[in-house]
Amino acid sequence: MRDGFITVAVAAPEVTVADTQKNTAHILRLIENAVKADVRILVLPELVTTGLSCGDLFFQEQLQRSALVALERIIEATQSHDLLVILGSPLVVCGALYNCAAVIQSGKLLGIVPKEHLLSPCGIDQRRWFVQPQAQQSTTVTIAGQETCFGTNLLFSCTSYPSLVLGCEVGTDLYHVTAPSSRLTVGGASVIANPAVINELVGTVEYQELLAIHQSAKFSCAYLYSGGGAGESTTDFVYAPHAMITENGRFLAKAQDSVGELTIADIDLERLALERRRRQIAPCNRAHTLIPFSLEVRQTTLRRVFNPHPFIPEGADRAKRLQRILEIQSTALAKRLEHTGLNTVLLGLSGGLDSTLALLVCLRAFERLSLDRSGIRAISMPAMGTSDRTRKNAEALGALTKVHFETIDITEAVMLHFRDIGHDPSVADATYENSQARERTQILMDLANKHHGLVIGTGDMSELALGWATYNGDQMSMYAVNTSVAKTLVRELVSYEASIAQDPALSALLQDIVATPVSPELLPSVDKEIVQRTEDVLGPYEVHDFFLYYILRWNFAPQKILRLAQATFKKQYSEAQLREWLETFYRRFFSQQFKRSAMPDGPKIGSVSLSPRSSLQMSSDSSAHIWLEALEKTPSS
């Protein structure tokens, strides 16, 4: 469970209706397999010891006794390990028969949670056989020779890892408007286990998935749903296994019609705990009974796969989401133009990725407002480091998009500035580089005054995070459309625009811009070729964007960030490289906050933003010491 990861599983053995001995054998085999797979929590279906479709056989004392014997055998079989097992069984408690979830560990019956809502919307009324418990009450009972807690308000709290708090609901409890999981998660549960068997109708599988996803998203929890059904009677209904593991609104694993197999996933308890704190889902355990248990804290072998590019949309709706991002950017700019009454924008067009995306956003905004494209003034400002490739691409982009394009060579102006401040132009230091960036910004600002326009910032979020911008140079503008767009996403958005461009020449040009190495082009070029490559200095943007996402969106500690990066990029980069780049990120992120504290307006497009107004409230004088120290102390793998 180090770094918050814990391996969990759900499974559905084939049941033989009313044959508790055969069912127990299947259950014990699954428990054994779970232990071998280093699973820490296993959820098995509702009434798995007997089968759900026993009907009036539930009234038979023989079946009730056999179910109790089955439970005793299962409890005994768990003595040699600390696997937490949750399974369903009918149990007689205080003279009444209940449909229960039993929570078992290390030979102990930790607690029993009865099903609260017995009337199913799918057509089965279990009130014929089982008693509906009084909500939010618990009592101490003796079951299987052990004194244990019985009630609907039980929370099972891990003493060795406090972020693990488990709550249980049973089957169609999930369907109810007052689902127990809602109450339990607000009370502190970070994991919900649901042993279920629900008869299958057209659409029920999709509905169950929707509900499980909804609960885990709404309450920032993990939801372990073990839907059984294989072997159940088909007299009136058909049952089919359905396994789901969700976390914070996403599927980690799911399987349908899987019989006797473990569906396994790694849930991230630390991620859930941090998200619950951020959303202020505060535990209120006064209404719940806490039952302590312990798990050995050890390293989890990660099965989980992490998206190496978390800012880039995935899946079937990828194109739709990219389109929506561009719409958010262009809508924001259109509103600013409407508010100011301006119909002219100015931007520095370098022929690189960021300025290209900014131009494409301007085109969409002008189309939205039915403005003439001539109001978009794209200024190429070459200097000592400008390459032929980017210069020609800027010219071609201006021509193909039919905007107002002009070139202002700033070399002479920068050289004059060097003379004014007494700087030797052969010394290519920060003064040499920043003088060019500030000269370009001055030109754009003055042209904006001249043409009654708005200067559009082109810098992206990744550059802001690393402080890779000249203060009061490219850091400043009148409206920054890319301010919440990570570099990896900038590349993806321009590629998307290339894919939908109707002009083949424009599409080819955009693809070439995407393939151009990222560079500020502020150091002297050699034979008009790019010599200054940003990623050679800072490290790959795909890695820095990965750091940015997990540091700001999830607030993970350095050692966990490094572990995730190693698991994700182990085929591309060494551990030493990743460690070096993570240290670079922390150093620059903290030292360069002053640039972000003074950043211009720009639209937020996702969950991560660096704006001091909408998102990141951070002192410009915060120290990175404890983060760097933690990284330094993280042992090599």
Side-chain angles (χ1 to χ4, degrees):
M1 293 189 292
R2 293 198 179 106
D3 298 322
F5 294 110
I6 182 172
T7 302
V8 300
V10 296
E14 183 166 1
V15 299
T16 301
V17 179
D19 191 337
T20 57
Q21 293 182 4
K22 186 177 288 187
N23 295 337
T24 301
H26 291 317
I27 292 167
L28 295 180
R29 191 174 301 116
L30 279 172
I31 290 174
E32 182 181 347
N33 292 342
V35 171
K36 289 179 180 177
D38 200 29
V39 170
R40 315 307 303 279
I41 301 175
L42 173 65
V43 183
L44 300 174
E46 179 180 3
L47 297 170
V48 69
T49 56
T50 60
L52 176 134
S53 53
C54 290
D56 284 356
L57 291 179
F58 282 123
F59 291 134
Q60 293 285 319
E61 186 178 9
Q62 183 60 47
L63 184 65
Q64 295 167 14
R65 285 182 177 179
S66 296
L68 183 59
V69 170
L71 186 63
E72 290 172 343
R73 284 188 60 196
I74 295 166
I75 294 170
E76 183 180 2
T78 65
Q79 288 180 344
S80 61
H81 51 76
D82 66 353
L83 172 69
L84 193 69
V85 180
I86 300 96
L87 58 84
S89 186
L91 289 173
V92 176
V93 180
C94 299
L97 184 63
Y98 294 90
N99 178 350
C100 298
V103 182
I104 303 165
Q105 187 202 40
S106 301
K108 294 181 180 179
L109 181 58
L110 297 181
I112 300 169
V113 180
K115 186 173 184 177
E116 291 189 36
H117 304 290
L118 299 172
L119 178 60
S120 168
C122 300
I124 298 176
D125 188 354
Q126 294 186 1
R127 293 177 300 183
R128 179 179 175 90
W129 311 293
F130 301 111
V131 172
Q132 187 161 326
Q134 295 185 12
Q136 300 187 47
Q137 287 190 0
S138 66
T139 186
T140 300
V141 297
T142 300
I143 298 290
Q146 296 190 25
E147 191 175 87
T148 191
C149 285
F150 172 87
T152 60
N153 66 339
L154 306 185
L155 289 176
F156 301 86
S157 178
C158 184
T159 56
S160 54
Y161 200 89
S163 293
L164 173 54
V165 180
L166 181 113
C168 295
E169 63 185 4
V170 181
T172 51
D173 277 347
L174 173 62
Y175 283 46
H176 204 272
V177 65
T178 57
S181 54
S182 301
R183 181 181 74 245
L184 294 168
T185 48
V186 171
S190 56
V191 178
I192 295 294
N194 185 339
V197 177
I198 300 174
N199 57 295
E200 187 168 355
L201 304 172
V202 175
T204 54
V205 168
E206 292 79 6
Y207 187 57
Q208 289 159 14
E209 292 182 352
L210 182 66
L211 290 175
I213 281 287
H214 171 79
Q215 289 298 87
S216 70
K218 186 174 182 180
F219 297 104
S220 294
C221 67
Y223 200 97
L224 316 184
Y225 179 95
S226 177
E232 294 283 1
S233 170
T234 59
T235 301
D236 292 302
F237 298 103
V238 172
Y239 302 88
H242 185 200
M244 293 184 287
I245 301 174
T246 70
E247 177 192 277
N248 203 43
R250 294 190 178 189
F251 280 111
L252 296 183
K254 62 178 178 176
Q256 206 172 333
D257 301 323
S258 178
V259 182
E261 300 291 333
L262 298 172
T263 298
I264 302 177
D266 303 322
I267 60 175
D268 189 344
L269 296 169
E270 187 176 279
R271 179 174 180 163
L272 292 172
L274 290 166
E275 182 71 351
R276 287 166 67 85
R277 287 177 207 142
R278 187 184 69 83
R279 296 181 58 201
Q280 298 185 12
I281 303 177
C284 184
N285 291 322
R286 287 173 297 176
H288 297 82
T289 299
L290 288 178
I291 300 173
F293 69 97
S294 181
L295 288 172
E296 179 190 354
V297 177
R298 58 179 183 260
Q299 188 88 323
T300 299
T301 301
L302 291 179
R303 295 172 173 84
R304 187 164 178 159
V305 176
F306 301 92
N307 181 1
H309 305 122
F311 290 107
I312 298 177
E314 294 183 291
D317 62 346
R318 173 185 163 278
K320 182 178 179 181
R321 294 185 66 185
L322 292 173
Q323 175 71 16
R324 185 59 190 148
I325 291 167
L326 290 163
E327 288 174 358
I328 291 172
Q329 290 179 275
S330 56
T331 299
L333 177 56
K335 172 60 180 177
R336 181 54 56 93
L337 291 171
E338 279 186 320
H339 175 72
T340 56
L342 301 175
N343 56 14
T344 301
V345 295
L346 299 95
L347 73 158
L349 190 63
S350 68
L353 267 176
D354 292 345
S355 62
T356 297
L357 177 59
L359 176 62
L360 294 170
V361 170
C362 290
L363 290 170
R364 285 173 172 262
F366 270 57
E367 183 178 354
R368 183 181 295 271
L369 296 173
S370 300
L371 296 176
D372 193 286
R373 288 187 176 188
S374 62
I376 301 174
R377 305 182 73 90
I379 316 299
S380 172
M381 293 170 281
M384 298 81 79
T386 304
S387 66
D388 280 345
R389 181 177 185 177
T390 55
R391 182 170 186 165
K392 289 177 180 177
N393 280 348
E395 293 170 354
L397 191 57
L400 289 172
T401 56
K402 298 180 173 59
V403 299
H404 175 90
F405 178 85
E406 61 182 292
T407 299
I408 301 174
D409 193 311
I410 66 168
T411 305
E412 184 178 347
V414 173
M415 288 299 179
L416 177 60
H417 180 62
F418 287 163
R419 290 197 296 272
D420 289 342
I421 66 172
H423 181 73
D424 182 354
S426 67
V427 179
D429 58 3
T431 303
Y432 183 95
E433 295 186 54
N434 290 338
S435 294
Q436 297 170 68
R438 292 193 178 101
E439 178 64 26
R440 288 178 174 130
T441 300
Q442 175 179 267
I443 288 172
L444 290 172
M445 292 290 182
D446 292 343
L447 285 175
N449 291 153
K450 180 179 179 181
H451 297 289
H452 306 289
L454 205 65
V455 175
I456 304 303
T458 61
D460 62 63
M461 181 168 64
S462 305
E463 292 178 343
L464 280 168
L466 292 161
W468 198 250
T470 300
Y471 191 79
N472 208 31
D474 52 315
Q475 171 259 355
M476 188 47 61
S477 65
M478 296 175 181
Y479 198 73
V481 293
N482 295 339
T483 193
S484 292
V485 185
K487 180 72 78 176
T488 48
L489 181 55
V490 172
R491 183 174 280 110
E492 200 70 17
L493 289 168
V494 176
S495 295
Y496 170 72
E497 286 280 35
S499 71
I500 64 172
Q502 296 182 349
D503 183 350
L506 178 59
S507 177
L509 175 61
L510 293 177
Q511 290 170 5
D512 186 69
I513 290 171
V514 168
T516 303
V518 177
S519 173
E521 294 192 328
L522 295 173
L523 294 178
S525 64
V526 177
D527 297 327
K528 296 298 182 181
E529 294 291 327
I530 297 173
V531 296
Q532 186 182 18
R533 297 172 183 250
T534 302
E535 291 176 301
D536 289 346
V537 179
L538 299 177
Y541 270 116
E542 67 171 349
V543 175
H544 283 301
D545 282 356
F546 186 88
F547 296 156
L548 174 62
Y549 178 77
Y550 284 104
I551 290 171
L552 286 193
R553 175 62 183 89
W554 295 107
N555 300 291
F556 287 162
Q559 59 269 26
K560 184 168 183 176
I561 299 285
L562 182 60
R563 184 182 179 190
L564 300 190
Q566 287 176 268
T568 304
F569 296 108
K570 58 186 175 184
K571 292 183 179 179
Q572 296 108 298
Y573 311 113
S574 69
E575 179 184 342
Q577 288 176 311
L578 293 169
R579 188 183 289 268
E580 177 189 349
W581 294 330
L582 183 53
E583 180 181 342
T584 296
F585 185 94
Y586 278 118
R587 288 189 186 281
R588 295 192 64 93
F589 182 78
F590 276 83
S591 67
Q592 302 293 300
Q593 171 62 22
F594 73 98
K595 296 178 182 178
R596 298 187 293 269
S597 294
M599 63 187 281
D601 291 355
K604 182 175 181 177
I605 64 162
S607 59
V608 178
S609 172
L610 301 175
S611 169
R613 294 168 295 277
S614 68
S615 300
L616 182 65
Q617 296 185 18
M618 173 179 166
S619 165
S620 297
D621 303 313
S622 298
S623 170
H625 174 73
I626 61 172
W627 285 267
L628 294 171
E629 183 181 48
L631 180 60
E632 184 180 348
K633 290 181 178 179
T634 302
S636 299
S637 60

